[in-house]
Amino acid sequence: MHTLKIHNPATGALITELPADDAASVAAKAQRSRAAQPAWAATPLAQRKACIARFRAALTQQVETLAATLTSEVGKPIRQSRNEVNGLLARIDFFLEQIEPSTASETVFSDGAMTERIAHEPLGVIANISAWNYPYFVGGNVFVPALLAGNAVLYKPSEFAALTGLHIGRLLHESGVPAEVFVPLIGAGDVGAALLAQDIAGVFFTGSHATGAKIAATMGPRLVKLQLELGGKDPSYVCDDADPLAAAESLADGAMYNTGQSCCSVERIYVHERIHDAFVDAFVATVRGFKLGDPLDEATYLGAITRAPQLDVLQAQVADAVAKGARLAIGGQRIEQPGNWFEPTVFTEVNHTMALMREESFGPIIGIQKVTGDDEALALMNDSRYGLTAGVYTPDEARAQRLLARVTAGSVYWNCCDRVSPRLPWSGVGDSGIGLTLSTYGIQTFTRPKAWHLRRG
């Protein structure tokens, strides 16, 4: 029997061993899902909405259990795990509110003899290959609107968040979603590969650029819908008229929240030379105040690194930065204790020859670069193969608008960072991916528009 071992990244201890899928079980589950999807699509929307509303209620009732499970398997501090489960509620509310107007048939022309109408039909059976860093957020962005729109979902949680994936499946089934309509698939990369081999109508993936590129190469010839939410090297620029303390506190949280393991974490900061030193002092002081420790401790802000191999990536970026002349302000080392731990790390005097400023870090590490003005900052912000988010800190709204209009990114921020709203589309440019989730566009992405030409007589 195939199994998947689940370890606690904060201690290294084995939590449990789960039965895992294989190619045969994935194929069988996919076949049952294809058979069940038409009936789910034919289910009145009010009933599908009622199922998701019950799922929402179950999340609120079981938040402590769900948060504890998430913390145990990914190392996220317990308060942040609780925030994630609770944060999904507003997204569910948005989807429940907008599913009907977003998918309703629309008459776009009628002159008495000819009527033209647009209808929205579900894609069918989709593959949702989700991520471990925010399984409720990035998974919920897909499976909630997909189910509401009448699709069946073959859901592969990350092997690092499999227990959470099983919780999600259990709650959806208990809420009335048929077991064949939402199907968790447990396992690692081989299960993902088996899933891609099935007869599916779309692939919705969140993860690394390298894996996303492989999925695109695999699925491209089959011409199915493909959505890839990939990485980022998200920049922020602090202008000379910004409050250095307020900007430092905001950006330190944006860089270190979830131990820096977010695709939209702030990963590089550019600061105008006039306030650079004051900003760095405030930033380092803020980071020093973040408590690193037991993820189950309510006071902990920085938890464990979920994937052990990432420690080597972080250590390599530190070594490269030091070798090329960067100044280490704080941190810089893995912590030698059971589990996967890395010190919060801040570098100054960095430049774009360093991997720290070019390649995704996905950990509690940040580079701060001094710039002479807006033009230099803008050029450096756009000097990246990624384009997920970018931010500007200044009290001057017109200045921020001018700069952000020229930044190549799917989401831009003025005086804030690391923020996602269900009302706005979440998308990337370049190696940050293709397609989108969230907003009304992120509901319609799970439908196929059908054009109706209706002539009377």
Side-chain angles (χ1 to χ4, degrees):
M1 181 179 70
H2 294 265
T3 61
L4 177 68
K5 292 182 178 180
I6 308 296
H7 291 88
N8 185 326
T11 65
L14 179 68
I15 298 173
T16 189
E17 194 165 350
L18 297 174
D21 282 285
D22 58 17
S25 68
V26 170
K29 290 177 179 179
Q31 184 177 16
R32 291 195 293 270
S33 189
R34 287 194 300 275
Q37 187 271 329
W40 177 248
T43 300
L45 177 57
Q47 293 184 29
R48 299 200 300 268
K49 289 175 64 176
C51 291
I52 298 302
R54 288 190 290 269
F55 172 68
R56 183 197 189 282
L59 291 173
T60 64
Q61 293 162 2
Q62 301 182 38
V63 61
E64 293 303 323
T65 297
L66 303 177
T69 297
L70 182 57
T71 289
S72 71
E73 63 181 345
V74 305
K76 187 192 298 273
I78 187 65
R79 290 178 61 186
Q80 296 177 20
S81 291
R82 194 180 295 119
N83 288 346
E84 183 183 346
V85 178
N86 286 325
L88 179 56
L89 305 180
R91 300 189 187 191
I92 293 174
D93 291 341
F94 174 82
F95 292 135
L96 288 171
E97 176 185 285
Q98 294 296 325
I99 181 64
E100 191 162 1
S102 297
T103 59
S105 294
E106 178 185 5
T107 297
V108 294
F109 175 80
S110 182
D111 65 359
M114 173 66 74
T115 297
E116 298 172 355
R117 183 181 303 153
I118 302 171
H120 294 273
E121 298 182 347
L123 297 175
V125 177
I126 67 160
N128 179 195
I129 304 175
S130 193
W132 52 262
N133 60 333
Y134 285 100
Y136 287 98
F137 281 165
V138 300
N141 291 350
V142 173
F143 65 72
V144 173
L147 290 169
L148 286 170
N151 298 278
V153 179
L154 298 170
Y155 176 71
K156 187 201 169 298
S158 166
E159 59 268 36
F160 299 99
L163 293 173
T164 292
L166 291 175
H167 272 315
I168 290 170
R170 173 180 61 81
L171 294 179
L172 284 169
H173 298 158
E174 291 174 355
S175 301
V177 177
E180 296 79 15
V181 168
F182 184 85
V183 184
L185 300 171
I186 302 302
D190 59 324
V191 174
L195 173 55
L196 295 180
Q198 305 309 309
D199 181 8
I200 47 182
V203 177
F204 296 79
F205 168 78
T206 301
S208 71
H209 170 266
T211 303
K214 291 178 182 177
I215 291 174
T218 299
M219 302 306 296
R222 291 168 56 184
L223 304 180
V224 302
K225 186 154 197 175
L226 184 63
Q227 178 171 298
L228 305 173
E229 182 181 326
L230 309 178
K233 193 65 185 173
D234 307 74
S236 284
Y237 168 43
V238 184
C239 298
D240 57 323
D241 56 359
D243 179 338
L245 175 59
E249 290 177 343
S250 173
L251 287 167
D253 182 62
M256 300 292 170
Y257 191 87
N258 199 31
T259 320
Q261 298 175 115
S262 306
C263 58
C264 56
S265 289
V266 176
E267 292 227 353
R268 49 197 173 108
I269 301 173
Y270 306 97
V271 184
H272 196 285
E273 59 186 1
R274 292 179 188 167
I275 65 167
H276 173 269
D277 292 352
F279 174 88
V280 169
D281 289 346
F283 190 95
V284 172
T286 302
V287 172
R288 287 189 191 278
F290 292 151
K291 180 180 177 180
L292 182 148
D294 180 2
L296 289 172
D297 184 340
E298 293 285 345
T300 294
Y301 178 88
L302 291 163
I305 299 297
T306 303
R307 298 177 59 254
Q310 197 64 22
L311 295 170
D312 294 332
V313 173
L314 297 173
Q315 199 69 70
Q317 288 194 356
V318 168
D320 175 72
V322 170
K324 293 175 179 175
R327 185 180 74 84
L328 181 63
I330 185 176
Q333 297 290 330
R334 67 176 72 194
I335 300 172
E336 298 301 333
Q337 66 183 48
N340 311 325
W341 297 90
F342 203 91
E343 295 175 335
T345 299
V346 180
F347 278 100
T348 61
E349 299 177 27
V350 296
N351 59 62
H352 277 218
T353 68
M354 301 171 186
L356 171 67
M357 300 299 282
R358 303 197 65 82
E359 300 302 325
E360 190 171 29
S361 301
F362 226 69
I365 179 172
I366 189 74
I368 302 173
Q369 184 168 350
K370 184 188 299 184
V371 296
T372 58
D374 293 1
D375 289 342
E376 183 184 8
L378 185 65
L380 290 168
M381 292 171 82
N382 283 334
D383 181 26
S384 176
R385 61 193 179 95
Y386 295 104
L388 189 61
T389 78
V392 168
Y393 284 74
T394 172
D396 186 340
E397 182 176 1
R399 182 180 186 181
Q401 296 260 15
R402 286 195 302 272
L403 287 166
L404 294 173
R406 296 167 61 194
V407 170
T408 304
S411 293
V412 294
Y413 303 113
W414 175 41
N415 292 337
C416 58
C417 59
D418 191 25
R419 182 181 187 275
V420 181
S421 168
R423 295 171 292 277
L424 294 173
W426 188 250
S427 64
V429 180
D431 284 1
S432 288
I434 57 174
L436 59 87
T437 55
L438 297 175
S439 77
T440 55
Y441 299 109
I443 295 174
Q444 291 179 342
T445 198
F446 298 101
T447 67
R448 183 181 294 105
K450 177 179 283 188
W452 289 71
H453 303 251
L454 306 171
R455 184 186 297 279
R456 291 177 178 82

